[in-house]
Amino acid sequence: MALEGAQQLLDFSQKLDINLLDNVIKTMYHGTGPQQKAAQEVLVKLQTHPDAWQRVDLILEFSTNQETKHYALQILSNVIKTRWKVLPREQCDGVKKFIVGIIIKLSSDAAASEKEKVFLNKLNIVLIEIVKQEWPRNWPTFISELVGASKTNEHLCRNNMIILKLLSEEVFDFSQGIMTQAKVKHLKDTMCSEFSEVFSLCTLVLDNSTCISLVQATLGTLLGFLNWIPLGYIFETKLISQLTQKFLSVPDFRNITLKCVTEIAGIDARAHEDQFCELFSLTMAQIKTMLPLTTNLKDAYKTGRDDEQNFIQNMALFISTILQEHGQYIEGKSDLHSTLLEALHYLVLISEVEEKEIFKICLEYWNSLTSDLYRESPYSNNPMSYPLLTNNSSIPPRRQLYLPILSNVRLVLIFHMAKPEEVLVVENEQGEVVREFMKDTDAISLYKTMRETLVYLTHLDYADTEHIMTQKLHNQVNGSEWSWKNLNTLCWAIGSISGAMHEEDEKRFLVTVIKDLLGLCEMKRGKDNKAIIASNIMYIVGQYPRFLRQHWKFLKTVVNKLFEFMHETHDGVQDMACDTFIKIAQKCKRHFVTVQVAEVMPFIEEILNGINAIICDLQPHQVHTFYEAVGYMIQAQADVQVQERLIEKCMSLPNQVWDRIINNATQSVETLKDPECVKQLGNILKTNVRACQAIGHPFVTQLGRIYLDMLNVYQVLSENISTAVQQNGEQVLKQPLVASMRTVKKEALRLISAWVAKSTDPKQVCENFVPPLLNAVLGDYNRNHPNARDSEVLSTMTVFINKLENHITGEVPKIFDAVFECTLDMIKDNFEDFPEHRTNFYLLLESINQHCFPALLQIPPDKFKLVMDSIVWAFKHMMHNVAETGLLTVLTLLHNLDGKDVAQSFYQTYFLNILQHVLSVVTDSTNAAQLSNQSKLLAYMYSLVESKKITVPLYPESSAPDMDNVVFVKGYTQDLLKKAFPNLQDVQVSVFLDGMYALNQDTTAFREHLRDFLVQIKECAGEDLTDLYLQEKKEQLKAAAAAKLKYQMTVPGILNPHEVTEEMND
């Protein structure tokens, strides 16, 4: 293909060469190299040409290439989305008539519609785009025309059913954020009012048609309608009996029919409960005929065809949906009890199917059922009032009905138990025992739901739970069920019910479990076997801190066992031993610093006396974890003098190495260029950081001991790095020695940040720690090569300002001078470079604005302008966190200015500039995720104007002396929007601006108003609208998670013991 030839396609004075277009598109899809690129460029230009859509009819009529036809429909689709409202009416009618004509021609012929299936589907989608623009105002007869045409030809009817389903989805499922709220409501109302014709057509087909594909399409369309149609069509017609008795048992229709029945089962309509019972009874009768209760569904699924596997999944969906929505009403009908128990038995059988998605469906129902049964009669702290410790008569009747089936559910859950996050030793696909490095988030989520369900099941009948688990553990010991998988799932299940039993029962149960597991560990040979058993022991003991707190000897034995495992070099065992140790230290810390019965000293003293022997085989990162764990114990010591002695003793090993290095460096600074020495410094500081994070403010004694030496080391290493960069260029920063030096600098900053964040004496910090740090760090940061600057300097300053607030205001100008401009120079050229510096820079600005605002007002005007420019730059960012920080910083700044003397001059200089940039960001589709924060900022800005808090004129007084700010800002905004979006009508802009003033006190209404306007803009621009609800969805999920946590805190055992805070424990 010659490129010159392809360019002819862009000459609209010539007749279109269809063969040439086909060749160019073939080159685009199947060519390579420069030719493909040239073809792509031509096609993009052609697609964006304003007159290209007028050639679509020729292309569709004469091209023989499917890809060319799809390309033509893409051009047409873009025009419909973006320019339909400005096209002359006769052109709109012409396009409409043309598309309808092709669809009728293709879909009326069975062979043609099958051959051109993909093309026909794309035509249907284009038609729906037209319908969304035209119906009902310009095409009021659309539904009746479609229904009328359907009665003339079965093949045409089948395609029309697909069109109706697409329309239903567009209006009822996908309309949020894509159409304005008023338009969505209008289309929904129209669809409901005209539905009788559609329903009559569906009934006609279901009553009379023998065409399998048409009936399938009709059932599929009906499935799309069932979640919104008026309920009379479902409950006051023969629809339910027709679905269950005519179609459900027919293999060709059973899956789609069961989906329809499930959709009906999910409807919340309390007035029709009797019909739901009938639906349940009729459907279960048909299922029993097709799949008798004696069927092994696990095997049936494994060997079944796709449609048979789908049927088992659809069964799970139906049973779980109808019982979740209407189970309590069905329970009330004694004649349905046997059917109910059969349905539950089916669900237990389906739960055993080896398919994760199907298991999740069943699990969701078991979780809902067990939590519901638990709520009826919650846990009591008094064992005598625990219903299952007394006779059966005190068990609530509902619970009695479900007890037999729930025992089977316990067995299934224990057998399938998912792996908890804490377990690091796993069996891989090759059957080897290895350490897990990647977290499987899906498995963690599944584990949490299973754990919650098992806790409810334990509350409902802890004796049965204990019996099943104990029996299965005996079977591991006697070898009848021994396997790594069986032992793992059982131990994960045992660990997951911590807190769900009464203490006495838990004690008896746990002692049995640990004895059996320790015996198993002694009995089994081979490192892999021992590693699996060890990992399970560690997981279980880590999950029962309440038991450990009550039984000191057992706690001490467990910790000594963990110290043994710290010498076990099998993959993952040492990591897990350290992780379990730190969890136990957090939950039982007070027990380590007090003298226990029959002991001569607190156990922490024993640990510190033998610390060298305990950690000698650990890797550096494991040593850091160990020190943090010991730090939690020391933090629990209330006696200050004892605590100081423990800190000194704990840090004596790293301090010995530190002192040796510092002494050598004092004699020869060249010591600090030795790779091993620099590496040791990094590890020592990391150890200090972890210990400090656990101990908190009292760590000041250790920090004070090394502080000035650490800052000297910081400065020397900075000089070394700068010299290396000057001599060898910035590539030297990647060399191992220089990278290790930078690690030492970063860890020094992290140590200071960690301590300041936990400090309780701002005066002490400001007088003794801030001045030497600023002297050592700020000048170095300012002078350094950009690539050698550590973003931790910015985050450390942010920690100082957030913690010390107004105490550090006097130092802010010094910090500002050192870091502001040089960092801005690093990040201002684009949105990508130095992402960590970028994030930390804006967090620093936000903290100064929030806590040291007076300091911000003291900086010179030219510097202040730079600050404002950088904040505007922030909220234009693609990085979500930076954009959010920028918007919140502006909002806080405007609130801080309220009532200040400088406010009016600020408004005069910056208000319109900020408004212009915020509007440009709001109307830019790439920033839709920040809509909630953007609307808060805009609402506040318009309220400032409306409430006359801005008293200075925002307009040039000479040009309009009688103007006021409200009128001016409205006109200013109108001009901005009209320039940016010329396709918008004046009335649209005017209504939008009226709302900006009328709704600025109601943030929700203001946001919805803003969103509707963005929908209108995006309709004109043909852009994607899916992100307009993103932030609210995040906020809704956050609120739902908080509500769930609040409830979970009332159910013993539901929260993982390590998610429970100390206050909740106490």
Side-chain angles (χ1 to χ4, degrees), residues 174 176-178 925 928-929 1011 1015 1018 1023-1031 1033:
F174 310 135
Q176 191 184 51
I178 291 182
S925 58
R1011 198 187 332 261
V1015 168
K1018 287 163 180 269
E1023 292 172 350
D1024 183 20
L1025 305 124
T1026 49
D1027 282 343
L1028 287 179
Y1029 281 85
L1030 196 63
Q1031 194 158 1
K1033 282 172 187 161

Side-chain angles (χ1 to χ4, degrees), residues 303-493:
T303 57
R305 301 188 308 272
D306 280 356
D307 66 306
E308 291 168 336
Q309 291 184 338
N310 288 339
F311 185 72
I312 291 173
Q313 180 164 342
N314 290 331
M315 263 175 72
L317 282 166
F318 169 72
I319 295 169
S320 59
T321 302
I322 197 159
L323 294 183
Q324 221 161 338
E325 292 294 329
H326 312 285
Q328 290 207 27
Y329 194 81
I330 292 168
E331 287 166 22
K333 300 272 188 182
S334 55
D335 56 320
L336 285 178
H337 279 189
S338 61
T339 310
L340 171 61
L341 292 173
E342 285 170 355
L344 291 167
H345 185 64
Y346 272 119
L347 209 56
V348 170
L349 293 175
I350 296 171
S351 301
E352 293 175 351
V353 166
E354 298 287 345
E355 169 53 55
K356 192 183 277 186
E357 293 311 309
I358 292 179
F359 180 73
K360 282 181 185 173
I361 295 166
C362 302
L363 177 64
E364 192 179 333
Y365 172 70
W366 298 129
N367 182 268
S368 166
L369 173 67
T370 51
S371 63
D372 199 31
L373 290 171
Y374 170 82
R375 280 191 194 98
E376 274 192 354
S377 178
Y379 174 93
S380 162
N381 255 331
N382 175 8
M384 295 313 294
S385 66
Y386 201 83
L388 296 159
L389 290 180
T390 53
N391 59 30
N392 268 4
S393 61
S394 60
I395 302 175
R398 271 192 81 207
R399 203 179 282 191
Q400 276 194 13
L401 175 66
Y402 288 104
L403 279 180
I405 210 81
L406 292 181
S407 189
N408 292 329
V409 177
R410 286 183 191 93
L411 276 165
V412 171
L413 256 61
I414 291 167
F415 183 75
H416 284 94
M417 195 68 197
K419 187 182 75 64
E421 200 172 354
E422 294 90 343
V423 175
L424 304 176
V425 179
V426 293
E427 182 184 357
N428 67 12
E429 288 172 0
Q430 287 75 44
E432 302 161 331
V433 177
V434 294
R435 182 203 189 317
E436 180 185 60
F437 286 100
M438 289 291 287
K439 294 282 183 200
D440 183 345
T441 50
D442 193 38
I444 292 166
S445 170
L446 181 64
Y447 167 75
K448 284 180 177 171
T449 311
M450 292 184 77
R451 181 181 184 286
E452 195 176 296
T453 311
L454 207 48
V455 166
Y456 284 129
L457 284 164
T458 306
H459 280 304
L460 294 174
D461 187 346
Y462 81 84
D464 187 51
T465 306
E466 183 182 343
H467 170 72
I468 292 171
M469 289 179 168
T470 312
Q471 188 56 51
K472 283 195 154 294
L473 190 55
H474 289 331
N475 292 345
Q476 288 296 313
V477 176
N478 66 33
S480 62
E481 288 185 11
W482 162 258
S483 77
W484 290 344
K485 179 188 180 299
N486 288 348
L487 180 67
N488 283 340
T489 53
L490 173 60
C491 290
W492 299 340

Side-chain angles (χ1 to χ4, degrees), residues 155-205:
H155 303 298
L156 178 61
C157 181
R158 178 177 170 276
N159 190 62
N160 286 352
M161 285 293 177
I162 293 167
I163 291 169
L164 284 167
K165 186 183 179 186
L166 286 171
L167 179 61
S168 168
E169 287 171 348
E170 285 292 329
V171 173
F172 287 93
D173 300 337
F174 310 135
S175 58
Q176 191 184 51
I178 291 182
M179 295 182 256
T180 63
Q181 296 162 82
K183 183 174 178 181
V184 171
K185 185 177 184 307
H186 184 50
L187 290 185
K188 285 182 177 179
D189 290 347
T190 309
M191 195 115 184
C192 286
S193 66
E194 297 188 23
F195 185 70
S196 61
E197 285 187 76
V198 176
F199 190 76
S200 299
L201 177 65
C202 292
T203 307
L204 183 72
V205 172

Side-chain angles (χ1 to χ4, degrees), residues 424-425 435 531 534-535 538 562-581 614-619 621-623 625-626:
L424 304 176
V425 179
R435 182 203 189 317
S535 102
M538 288 189 284
L562 291 177
F563 293 162
E564 277 181 42
F565 289 145
M566 287 179 191
H567 300 287
E568 171 57 69
T569 53
H570 195 292
D571 236 6
V573 173
Q574 288 173 308
D575 276 316
M576 213 167 154
C578 292
D579 289 352
T580 307
F581 179 53
I614 296 169
I615 64 173
C616 61
D617 289 329
L618 295 178
Q619 298 297 310
H621 72 277
Q622 294 159 345
V623 172
T625 303
F626 185 91

Side-chain angles (χ1 to χ4, degrees), residues 61 174 198 291 317 375 453 533 566 767 777 873 901 1057:
E61 198 170 339
F174 310 135
V198 176
L291 274 176
L317 282 166
R375 280 191 194 98
T453 311
I533 299 166
M566 287 179 191
E767 287 177 2
V777 168
W873 179 245
D901 295 340

